[in-house]
């Protein structure tokens, strides 16, 4: 058996989610993704089309079309209403509050958490600016004696902290306003986690990883005929171990490309013909196996995200068109909105309420939610049976004064 060169055919799975106590901060992630678990989630998001479509659509539903102040109590609190509306328009020097929340919604769905950089005024009486901080840049400091994280660390690249030195920043605490700014890190409860939060689709990570690997395999199969489904036997003597390893590396680099390196079986033997044999390794019913795997992984990704209907995310489960599924879309939207999206929205609104209360501008606010299909009728049909105000309400527009 020593004449057979070892080939890396090991399987790959998503990394273990674990908090590891470091010197100054709690590391997030282990193994090859040590302290880089948020980056793993981003890579998965960038390389699985089904997974990415669900995250993008859900994030859009969380942030909605806008965020507004409820009309109740407006007349009794005119000053507070105006103050809050100005904050909506100018959350910081570059963005409206809704623009900030669009980033927050994507992080919340993708990472299971979000982070905000809060800037105090000079008197430390109000928060004057809110900035979104990418969640992958944040690590929690070591909890104090009471088990509370009072410091966070921010780095542009946690894989290279030598050139991207982590910067400490105080955790949000309305009772301690000694610093000019604070960082608010928040998310929904995650079992077995003390300081970090995991995404709600955690159980589907391996299936999204399979989706990524299938896409890479198909791309390499099309672009590279030498995709690793071969056994090569060199019948011209058995070289040394070092020579065998060097030959395998040269073949992989020349014919397989970086993504397929190590995906071939190479053997050596003594034979006077001195001619290498290239033996294809075929898989029976490969096309059927691929289709079955594709269907299985899509279904499991959908299940992991608690998706009611794939149509809601642009994924057709059969050959039907969109026209006959309007009712299904709207029903699926309502179910997904109430069972998944609203949980994210309520949490965000509660966090904002804490900030608004500090600034003495706490008023009921809500997200403006748009349906996937607002109407099945033309505008002429609507005009013939509905008033102008009813039409505006159906289209999600504000009523006329």
């Amino acid at each position: 058996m020593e004449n057979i060169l070892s080939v890396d055919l090991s399987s790959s799975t998503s990394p273990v989610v674990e908090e590891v106590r470091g010197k100054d901060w709690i590391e997030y992630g282990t193994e090859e993704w040590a302290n880089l678990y948020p980056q793993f989630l981003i890579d998965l998001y960038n390389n699985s089309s089904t997974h990415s479509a669900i995250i993008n659509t859900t994030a859009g539903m969380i942030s909605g079309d806008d965020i507004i102040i409820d009309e109740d109590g407006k007349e009794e609190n005119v000053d507070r209403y105006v103050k809050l509306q100005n904050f909506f328009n100018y959350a910081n020097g570059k963005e409206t509050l809704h623009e900030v929340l669009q980033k927050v919604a994507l992080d919340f769905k993708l990472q299971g958490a979000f982070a905000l950089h809060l800037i105090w005024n000079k008197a430390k009486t109000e928060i004057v600016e809110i900035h979104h901080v990418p969640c992958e840049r944040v690590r929690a400091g070591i909890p104090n004696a009471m088990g509370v994280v009072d410091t966070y660390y921010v780095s542009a690249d946690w894989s290279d902290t030598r050139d991207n030195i982590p910067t400490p920043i105080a955790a949000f605490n309305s009772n301690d306003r000694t610093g000019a700014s604070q960082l608010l890190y928040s998310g929904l409860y995650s079992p077995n986690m003390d300081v970090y939060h995991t995404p709600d689709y955690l159980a589907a990570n391996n299936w999204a990883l399979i989706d990524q690997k299938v896409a890479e395999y198909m791309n390499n199969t099309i672009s590279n005929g030498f995709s690793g489904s071969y056994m090569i036997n060199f019948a011209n003597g058995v070289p040394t171990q070092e020579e065998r390893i060097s030959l395998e590396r040269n073949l992989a680099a020349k014919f397989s490309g970086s993504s397929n390196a190590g995906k071939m079986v190479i053997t050596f033997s003594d034979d006077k013909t001195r001619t290498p044999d290239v033996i294809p390794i075929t898989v029976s019913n490969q096309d059927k196996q691929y289709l079955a795997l594709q269907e299985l992984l899509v279904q499991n990704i959908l299940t992991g995200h608690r998706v009611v209907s794939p149509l809601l995310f642009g994924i057709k489960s059969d050959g039907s068109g969109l026209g006959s599924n309007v009712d299904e879309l709207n029903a699926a939207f309502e179910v997904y909105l109430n069972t998944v999206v609203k949980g994210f929205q309520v949490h965000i609104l509660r966090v904002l309420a804490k900030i608004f209360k500090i600034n003495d501008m706490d008023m009921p606010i809500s997200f403006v939610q748009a349906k996937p299909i607002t109407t099945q009728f033309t505008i002429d049909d609507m005009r013939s049976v509905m008033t102008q105000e009813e039409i505006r309400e159906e289209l999600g527009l504000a009523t006329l004064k």
Side-chain angles (χ1 to χ4, degrees), residues 67 98 135 179 189 193 210 250 278 281:
I67 185 169
H98 186 249
C135 212
Y189 169 73
M193 302 296 286
I210 293 173
N250 290 335
V278 180
I281 302 176

Side-chain angles (χ1 to χ4, degrees), residues 58-76:
T58 305
M61 293 173 68
I62 294 171
S63 61
D65 286 344
D66 202 354
I67 185 169
I68 59 173
I69 308 171
D70 295 346
E71 294 294 323
D72 295 341
K74 174 182 175 182
E75 295 181 358
E76 295 82 5

Side-chain angles (χ1 to χ4, degrees), residues 53-254:
I54 297 172
I55 291 177
N56 287 335
T57 303
T58 305
M61 293 173 68
I62 294 171
S63 61
D65 286 344
D66 202 354
I67 185 169
I68 59 173
I69 308 171
D70 295 346
E71 294 294 323
D72 295 341
K74 174 182 175 182
E75 295 181 358
E76 295 82 5
N77 300 279
V78 176
D79 292 340
R80 184 176 294 181
Y81 178 89
V82 172
K83 185 178 182 181
L84 183 55
Q85 188 61 57
N86 287 335
F87 197 87
F88 276 22
N89 296 334
Y90 306 100
N92 57 60
K94 297 180 179 179
E95 300 169 301
T96 65
L97 181 61
H98 186 249
E99 288 172 332
V100 173
L101 293 182
Q102 286 178 314
K103 299 176 182 178
V104 166
L106 181 57
D107 266 6
F108 204 178
K109 176 57 181 173
L110 173 61
Q111 301 282 359
F114 60 90
L116 295 171
H117 186 202
L118 310 178
I119 311 296
W120 291 94
N121 60 8
K122 291 183 179 180
K124 307 295 177 59
T125 57
E126 292 186 352
I127 294 171
V128 292
E129 289 188 4
I130 295 179
H131 297 265
H132 164 262
V133 179
C135 212
E136 68 274 11
R137 298 184 180 183
V138 178
R139 295 295 182 275
I142 304 297
N144 58 27
M146 301 300 294
V148 177
V149 176
D150 53 22
T151 303
Y152 287 95
Y153 290 83
V154 179
S155 173
D157 184 1
W158 282 95
S159 66
D160 182 13
T161 55
R162 177 173 296 180
D163 292 333
N164 301 274
I165 300 173
T167 303
I169 180 172
F172 173 65
N173 186 347
S174 60
N175 297 320
D176 182 5
R177 308 182 184 185
T178 54
S181 64
Q182 296 176 335
L183 189 132
L184 190 157
Y185 173 83
S186 186
L188 298 174
Y189 169 73
S190 301
N192 204 35
M193 302 296 286
D194 293 325
V195 297
Y196 296 117
H197 305 275
T198 56
D200 64 334
Y201 58 82
L202 188 64
N205 273 353
N206 276 330
W207 289 103
L209 188 61
I210 293 173
D211 189 23
Q212 173 185 340
K213 297 301 181 183
V214 168
E216 291 175 355
Y217 172 77
M218 297 303 294
N219 180 63
N220 291 326
T221 299
I222 294 171
S223 62
N224 192 345
F226 209 96
S227 60
S229 297
Y230 296 88
M231 175 180 286
I232 304 174
N233 177 52
F234 288 92
N236 58 349
V238 181
T240 64
Q241 180 71 12
E242 291 77 9
E243 290 173 334
R244 278 179 271 168
I245 293 175
S246 176
L247 178 60
E248 188 270 342
R249 287 176 179 170
N250 290 335
L251 282 170
K254 184 173 181 63

Side-chain angles (χ1 to χ4, degrees), residues 249-321:
R249 287 176 179 170
N250 290 335
L251 282 170
K254 184 173 181 63
F255 297 109
S256 297
S258 60
S259 297
N260 278 336
K263 296 182 180 178
M264 60 184 74
V265 180
I266 303 174
T267 65
F268 303 88
S269 62
D270 292 304
D271 192 287
K272 62 182 180 180
T273 60
R274 306 175 65 84
T275 303
D277 294 327
V278 180
I279 307 169
I281 302 176
T282 59
V283 180
S284 60
N285 299 322
Q286 188 173 5
D287 55 338
K288 295 180 180 178
Q289 291 186 32
Y290 167 74
L291 292 175
L293 176 61
Q294 185 69 19
E295 181 179 350
L296 186 62
L297 69 87
V298 168
Q299 183 57 52
N300 277 276
I301 292 174
L302 293 172
T303 301
H305 283 278
R306 296 176 286 168
V307 172
V308 179
S309 170
L311 278 175
L312 191 61
F313 301 89
I315 304 168
K316 291 199 295 183
S317 56
D318 52 37
S320 60

